[in-house]
Amino acid sequence: MKIAVFPGSFDPITLGHYDIIKRGVGLFDKIIVAIGVNAEKKYMFPLEERRKFIEEAFANEPKVEVVTYQGLTIDLCKKVGAQFILRGLRNPADFEFEKAIAHTNRELSQIETVFLLTAARTSYISSSIVRDVLRNGGDYTILVPDSVRVK
């Protein structure tokens, strides 16, 4: 069984994340969307709300599971039996950053990183842009799955 972990903070999940997961479903038997917890980081959305956004977005997709974790992604991969880490790339800066992490992960384990280029229609979207739009009262709904609704 080919299992991939798609790690991130997903604060919140964006249409870019959604697209990578949907496309990953065709490549892997199971995708574990792993919400990383970093005590040093301030989040806009609580962990359980971020989890709910993702679970609702993929409620009809049995190949997608959502978990939370702390620590190294490769340790989570070993724990859940994943052979792959799935990552999306929006631009050259993402590639340079992700390449260093992928090399480190491969050095520390036998886990391969698989990169998917984001779709052109979502390549400009990031969680930080969504948060900025939200803070300033803009229409964030065009940037996120329908499951992300702020009261």
Side-chain angles (χ1 to χ4, degrees):
M1 182 177 232
K2 289 187 289 189
I3 301 171
V5 166
F6 184 46
S9 60
F10 305 102
D11 188 31
I13 184 173
T14 70
L15 288 177
H17 296 130
Y18 184 87
D19 177 62
I20 295 294
I21 296 166
K22 288 296 274 189
R23 289 168 42 217
V25 162
L27 300 172
F28 300 101
D29 299 309
K30 183 179 194 178
I31 294 182
I32 299 171
V33 180
I35 306 170
V37 177
N38 181 344
E40 305 294 312
K41 199 170 176 184
K42 289 211 175 211
Y43 298 103
M44 177 175 266
F45 297 96
L47 180 62
E48 282 311 311
E49 194 167 8
R50 289 181 277 147
R51 182 183 190 133
K52 188 177 119 191
F53 290 156
I54 300 166
E55 287 174 344
E56 286 180 13
F58 293 96
N60 296 319
E61 181 47 72
K63 292 170 83 175
V64 175
E65 178 183 333
V66 183
V67 302
T68 61
Y69 76 106
Q70 289 183 311
L72 296 176
T73 302
I74 57 170
D75 290 340
L76 173 68
C77 290
K78 291 173 189 172
K79 180 179 171 187
V80 300
Q83 308 91 341
F84 304 95
I85 295 171
L86 177 62
R87 298 300 293 156
L89 299 175
R90 294 172 298 183
N91 54 48
D94 279 356
F95 174 73
E96 289 302 323
F97 177 75
E98 294 292 344
K99 179 178 75 165
I101 294 170
H103 284 311
T104 303
N105 286 339
R106 197 166 354 123
E107 195 68 29
L108 297 174
S109 70
Q110 297 301 306
I111 297 164
E112 287 289 345
T113 301
V114 175
F115 297 110
L116 292 181
L117 296 177
T118 56
R121 70 184 181 284
T122 62
S123 64
Y124 67 95
I125 303 171
S126 69
S127 292
S128 57
I129 288 173
V130 173
R131 290 191 304 271
D132 195 46
V133 169
L134 272 162
R135 275 193 223 60
N136 291 288
D139 182 11
Y140 67 94
T141 62
I142 63 172
L143 305 171
V144 297
D146 291 340
S147 61
V148 179
R149 291 296 169 254
V150 179
K151 297 161 187 99

